[in-house]
Amino acid sequence: MKKHHLRIPGPTEVPEQVLRAMQAPMINHRGEEFTSLFKKVSEEIKEVFQTKNDVLVFPSAGTGAMEAAIANLFSPGDLIVSFSCGVFGDRFADIAEAFGARVERIKVEWGRPVTYEIVRERISKDTKKEIKGVLFTHNETSTGVLNDIKSLREAVGDHPALVIVDAISSLGAVELNTDEWQIDVVVAGSQKALMIPPGLGLVSVSERAWKAVEDSKMPKYYWNFKNAKKSLEKGETPYTPAVSLVYALEESLKQIFDEGLENIIMRHKLLAKALREGLKNLGFRLFAQDSWASPTVTAVDISDFQGKINFSKALKNRFNITVAGGQEKLKGKIIRIGHVGYVDELDIINVLSAIEMILADEELFGKGVKAAEKVFNEGVEV
Amino acid sequence: MKKHHLRIPGPTEVPEQVLRAMQAPMINHRGEEFTSLFKKVSEEIKEVFQTKNDVLVFPSAGTGAMEAAIANLFSPGDLIVSFSCGVFGDRFADIAEAFGARVERIKVEWGRPVTYEIVRERISKDTKKEIKGVLFTHNETSTGVLNDIKSLREAVGDHPALVIVDAISSLGAVELNTDEWQIDVVVAGSQKALMIPPGLGLVSVSERAWKAVEDSKMPKYYWNFKNAKKSLEKGETPYTPAVSLVYALEESLKQIFDEGLENIIMRHKLLAKALREGLKNLGFRLFAQDSWASPTVTAVDISDFQGKINFSKALKNRFNITVAGGQEKLKGKIIRIGHVGYVDELDIINVLSAIEMILADEELFGKGVKAAEKVFNEGVEV
């Protein structure tokens, strides 16, 4: 008998209370019960986005919310600059390209972040203000790298390009001050720090972005922001909403506010730090440096163990801990340990202890756990 | 945010599948659906009891099943010898006394087991065969002591006294060969190794015990074995059964057979050993010696920490781990860590790591975990 531990960077574990909330009886999505529920969560979610602007909720994967942002803000032929440091940055560019934008891809070596300088250099060259939008990834899930969105936004400065941030794996776990930092569109998904099952895509839209929506000529129906906003004013959606997931969101928001967004952000920092110190103490190399390491997912270099230990398999078979492997060129070279959403200190201890037992070297027993305990006991100074 | 860890010796954590099974729609307890369900679980549970005899299921606490055994087997004035080494042994004697039996209490120092010699001495003195029943506790939850029932049964030998065993906190977790060892009545509850919520009391009744039932003159209605047996033959109960708990039992039995009773017994041994080695490595004294330590609950001497660390409180507040305190004269002197039922290796690691962090002594970080990892990696040779 082994309990279930989902340590991938999403979908994440869903708290029991949220699972229970989803068991509420199905209701009429055009009735008063749903409209008041939908108005409530659509209002409350703004706090998590740190915005006063509208947040639109779609029945979709996070990728759908990315597509929605592209389709509503731009027109075919628009120049969009994508700054990518991994799989999900590339995906955003792919979507823009699929919709006929002229996409310029600026790629950063995997394992490293996009920097102020890289963005500033490209922006400052655009004297004719041709760039209509820039695409950033807040937390690059494929490499465990956190981009400093505040600084990247500053690099865009007063250039009129819309600033669009994929915050799917960061929103609600990492500081992201949408309004204060002047982010036009933030894209998120339900299955990460929001601690609910996959199926909701969320998009915040700034006033500046709403102006761009007026001019956008990309084809859209499902993702149409204007229709979504018009419906939202009545507490409705243009087509059938994912009712049970909206119930789930109501409950998860309650839990988020109970703990407090700032506390949640500190918790994620602490969990990441403890895991990293533990892994380092066991001799592992981490794929991303501490200074830009993700608070929600840690990529661990396992290339030294190839042909010797299959960590993903061993963690699953022996301890029922599910971690993620590397994607594309990182396949087989890293494992990714998710610590986002419904994750606590003992979950980190679990992973480290399980890895110690898999390493099966008596010298290492307790060594990673020891380092993590030290971090936890020193508390939140991270 | 802290996940919920219930590490008391019962009620124990309930697996998600069992919780879900309890959400089945309510059914007519006199209908075909229930009768086939009840026949099925009443048959299957025999395997866990290691008996071919009837097992009766009551809507009750474990204590109810104890009372049922007394009320059905004896008559007022009968001499019953209670061998007790703790709170639950004493309780069995109290029940017998309340029903008018002549109870002789043989008490063993808390923290130690009842021995073959103690039983043999009393039995061999009873040349007139006056003793009608002997009461044993398999696993004394209050002190973390396992009595060697096989050996105690042998000490009774061919004396005609009925042998009644309280196996509430052992059944399904510790070896107990009811028929092979010739135990007349085994009493159990749902909320321990059966991994379901409290509310079912279970009693196995040997042929010899059924004969005693015929002669019993103690007052009974609710606990009436003969009525229960008559109903059981039709897949029914004499009064309303705890339907949802019967659904839960069906599912938990499935899980028990999936893992295998022998594997479960080995798991509990291993968990106990790892916890004990971990605690010893941290410098704790354990209340019961290794040779008679319970596989389901570990009593830890905390008297050295009085006024310094309140472990129960600290485990609860900082890690949401619930352990049990000492009972009666052991209040404040021990904590009891339950590891029965739905508990795995990482649960043990959790408790040790949490205790290490509470001790807050850098020298001890990882030290208990290290010892436990060693035990787990060495496997089931316990």
Side-chain angles (χ1 to χ4, degrees):
Chain A
M1 193 284 297
K2 290 153 201 141
K3 292 181 185 173
H4 174 72
H5 302 271
L6 188 61
R7 287 287 87 75
I8 61 175
T12 60
E13 285 181 15
V14 178
E16 297 80 348
Q17 294 95 324
V18 175
L19 289 173
R20 278 199 293 274
M22 291 178 67
Q23 290 172 13
M26 190 47 55
I27 51 174
N28 174 13
H29 65 298
R30 297 298 181 217
E32 155 60 22
E33 218 175 333
F34 182 78
T35 55
S36 70
L37 170 68
F38 195 60
K39 273 185 193 164
K40 180 186 175 211
V41 298
S42 299
E43 192 57 38
E44 287 181 352
I45 190 68
K46 292 181 183 177
E47 165 81 15
V48 181
F49 275 78
Q50 293 280 290
T51 186
K52 292 195 158 43
N53 294 315
D54 296 306
V55 175
L56 306 175
V57 180
F58 295 93
S60 82
T63 300
M66 293 164 86
E67 180 162 314
I70 299 295
N72 278 279
L73 298 169
F74 303 107
S75 300
D78 278 358
L79 177 60
I80 297 177
V81 182
S82 130
F83 295 90
S84 170
C85 60
V87 170
F88 293 97
D90 290 354
R91 180 178 294 185
F92 221 165
D94 293 344
I95 293 168
E97 221 163 60
F99 273 75
R102 197 154 44 99
V103 178
E104 185 182 325
R105 293 168 186 257
I106 297 181
K107 292 192 181 202
V108 170
E109 187 193 340
W110 286 18
R112 301 183 60 88
V114 178
T115 61
Y116 178 94
E117 292 69 30
I118 292 168
V119 176
R120 189 66 216 143
E121 195 196 331
R122 181 61 191 89
I123 291 293
S124 60
K125 271 199 288 195
D126 185 34
T127 49
K128 290 186 191 155
K129 316 289 185 203
E130 281 180 294
I131 303 170
K132 298 290 185 209
V134 294
L135 307 180
F136 295 135
T137 312
H138 191 193
N139 186 72
E140 178 50 65
T141 312
S142 65
T143 60
V145 164
L146 185 74
N147 284 308
D148 181 350
I149 290 298
K150 182 167 187 273
S151 155
L152 302 189
R153 176 65 187 89
E154 283 165 4
V156 177
D158 57 6
H159 187 290
L162 291 172
V163 178
I164 303 164
V165 173
D166 163 5
I168 292 173
S169 62
S170 63
L171 186 105
V174 184
E175 190 182 30
L176 178 61
N177 299 328
T178 301
D179 286 358
E180 191 190 320
W181 298 351
Q182 298 180 287
I183 313 297
D184 293 299
V185 171
V186 169
V187 166
S190 52
Q191 76 279 18
K192 310 279 185 177
L194 293 181
M195 307 184 291
I196 70 180
L200 294 184
L202 305 102
V203 193
S204 75
V205 188
S206 74
E207 282 196 35
R208 218 161 65 115
W210 278 117
K211 281 181 197 128
V213 169
E214 292 298 329
D215 301 331
S216 162
K217 288 187 180 60
M218 279 178 179
K220 52 196 156 278
Y221 185 93
Y222 192 87
W223 307 121
N224 192 304
F225 280 4
K226 287 202 280 188
N227 290 347
K229 187 182 163 81
K230 212 185 296 168
S231 291
L232 175 56
E233 278 155 15
K234 297 177 285 178
E236 287 188 2
T237 51
Y239 40 80
T240 315
V243 176
S244 300
L245 293 174
V246 179
Y247 274 131
L249 182 57
E250 183 187 31
E251 177 60 33
S252 76
L253 285 168
K254 186 180 171 305
Q255 299 208 7
I256 287 168
F257 300 141
D258 279 355
E259 184 174 358
L261 194 57
E262 268 184 58
N263 293 332
I264 294 173
I265 290 168
M266 287 312 293
R267 168 162 59 83
H268 282 86
K269 279 188 192 175
L270 192 64
L271 297 177
K273 188 178 178 194
L275 178 61
R276 295 175 66 85
E277 292 306 312
L279 290 166
K280 284 189 240 168
N281 225 32
L282 291 173
F284 285 97
R285 279 177 291 123
L286 302 177
F287 193 69
Q289 288 186 21
D290 286 351
S291 41
W292 52 72
S294 162
T296 62
V297 56
T298 297
V300 189
D301 190 326
I302 50 156
S303 43
D304 293 350
F305 296 91
Q306 271 174 338
K308 282 175 271 182
I309 301 178
N310 183 330
F311 283 99
S312 300
K313 217 171 173 174
L315 285 165
K316 181 72 187 169
N317 292 349
R318 184 159 167 205
F319 299 103
N320 203 6
I321 295 176
T322 310
V323 299
Q327 293 167 291
E328 300 183 9
K329 61 189 173 194
L330 293 176
K331 211 169 174 173
K333 292 187 181 145
I334 59 168
I335 57 167
R336 292 174 301 140
I337 302 168
H339 32 85
V340 52
Y342 189 53
V343 184
D344 69 5
E345 298 185 0
L346 295 176
D347 285 321
I348 300 300
I349 297 292
N350 274 344
V351 173
L352 288 167
S353 177
I355 290 174
E356 287 168 6
M357 289 187 262
I358 288 167
L359 290 169
D361 172 355
E362 211 172 306
E363 292 292 302
L364 297 177
F365 285 161
K367 229 178 145 179
V369 168
K370 179 194 174 100
E373 289 177 351
K374 198 160 172 256
V375 171
F376 287 135
N377 261 29
E378 283 165 0
V380 288
E381 283 308 312
V382 287
Chain B
M1 193 282 299
K2 290 154 201 137
K3 291 181 184 171
H4 173 72
H5 302 270
L6 188 61
R7 287 290 84 74
I8 61 175
T12 61
E13 286 182 15
V14 178
E16 297 80 347
Q17 295 93 325
V18 175
L19 289 172
R20 278 200 292 276
M22 292 178 65
Q23 291 172 15
M26 190 46 57
I27 52 175
N28 174 13
H29 66 298
R30 298 296 182 216
E32 155 59 22
E33 217 176 332
F34 181 78
T35 55
S36 68
L37 169 69
F38 194 61
K39 275 185 193 164
K40 180 185 172 211
V41 299
S42 299
E43 193 57 38
E44 288 181 351
I45 190 70
K46 292 181 183 177
E47 166 81 15
V48 181
F49 275 78
Q50 293 282 289
T51 186
K52 292 194 158 44
N53 295 316
D54 297 306
V55 176
L56 306 174
V57 181
F58 295 93
S60 81
T63 299
M66 293 164 86
E67 179 162 317
I70 298 296
N72 278 279
L73 298 169
F74 303 106
S75 300
D78 277 357
L79 177 60
I80 297 177
V81 182
S82 131
F83 295 89
S84 171
C85 60
V87 170
F88 294 98
D90 291 353
R91 180 178 297 184
F92 220 163
D94 293 344
I95 293 168
E97 223 163 57
F99 273 75
R102 195 155 44 99
V103 177
E104 184 182 326
R105 294 168 184 255
I106 297 183
K107 292 192 179 201
V108 169
E109 186 192 341
W110 286 18
R112 301 183 60 87
V114 178
T115 62
Y116 178 94
E117 291 69 29
I118 293 169
V119 176
R120 190 64 218 146
E121 195 196 332
R122 181 63 190 89
I123 291 292
S124 59
K125 271 198 289 195
D126 186 34
T127 48
K128 292 186 192 156
K129 314 291 184 202
E130 281 181 294
I131 302 172
K132 297 291 185 209
V134 294
L135 307 181
F136 295 135
T137 311
H138 191 192
N139 186 71
E140 179 49 67
T141 313
S142 65
T143 59
V145 165
L146 185 74
N147 283 309
D148 182 349
I149 291 298
K150 183 168 186 273
S151 156
L152 302 190
R153 177 65 188 89
E154 283 165 5
V156 178
D158 56 7
H159 188 291
L162 291 171
V163 178
I164 302 165
V165 173
D166 164 6
I168 293 173
S169 62
S170 63
L171 186 104
V174 185
E175 191 183 28
L176 178 62
N177 299 329
T178 302
D179 287 358
E180 193 189 319
W181 298 351
Q182 297 180 286
I183 313 298
D184 293 301
V185 170
V186 169
V187 166
S190 52
Q191 76 280 18
K192 310 279 185 176
L194 293 180
M195 308 184 291
I196 71 180
L200 294 184
L202 305 102
V203 193
S204 74
V205 188
S206 74
E207 282 194 35
R208 218 161 65 113
W210 277 117
K211 280 181 199 130
V213 169
E214 292 299 329
D215 301 331
S216 162
K217 289 188 177 59
M218 279 179 179
K220 52 194 155 280
Y221 185 92
Y222 193 87
W223 307 121
N224 193 302
F225 280 3
K226 287 202 279 187
N227 291 348
K229 188 181 162 79
K230 212 185 295 166
S231 292
L232 176 56
E233 277 155 16
K234 299 176 283 181
E236 287 188 1
T237 51
Y239 39 79
T240 316
V243 176
S244 300
L245 293 174
V246 179
Y247 274 132
L249 182 58
E250 183 188 32
E251 176 61 33
S252 76
L253 286 168
K254 186 180 170 303
Q255 298 208 7
I256 287 168
F257 300 141
D258 279 355
E259 185 174 357
L261 194 57
E262 268 186 57
N263 293 331
I264 294 172
I265 290 168
M266 287 311 293
R267 168 161 60 82
H268 282 86
K269 280 189 191 173
L270 193 63
L271 296 177
K273 187 178 177 193
L275 178 60
R276 293 175 67 84
E277 292 305 312
L279 289 167
K280 284 189 238 167
N281 225 32
L282 292 173
F284 285 96
R285 278 176 292 121
L286 302 178
F287 192 69
Q289 287 185 24
D290 286 351
S291 40
W292 52 71
S294 162
T296 63
V297 56
T298 296
V300 189
D301 190 326
I302 50 156
S303 43
D304 292 349
F305 296 91
Q306 272 175 338
K308 282 176 269 181
I309 300 178
N310 182 330
F311 284 99
S312 300
K313 217 171 173 176
L315 284 166
K316 182 71 186 171
N317 292 349
R318 183 156 167 206
F319 297 104
N320 202 7
I321 296 175
T322 310
V323 298
Q327 292 168 292
E328 300 184 9
K329 61 188 174 196
L330 293 176
K331 210 167 175 176
K333 291 188 180 142
I334 59 167
I335 57 168
R336 293 174 301 140
I337 302 169
H339 32 84
V340 52
Y342 190 53
V343 183
D344 69 5
E345 299 185 358
L346 295 176
D347 286 320
I348 300 299
I349 297 292
N350 274 344
V351 173
L352 289 167
S353 177
I355 289 173
E356 287 168 6
M357 289 187 263
I358 287 167
L359 290 169
D361 172 355
E362 211 171 306
E363 293 292 301
L364 297 177
F365 285 160
K367 228 176 146 181
V369 168
K370 179 193 174 103
E373 289 178 353
K374 198 159 171 256
V375 171
F376 287 135
N377 261 29
E378 283 165 0
V380 288
E381 282 310 312
V382 288

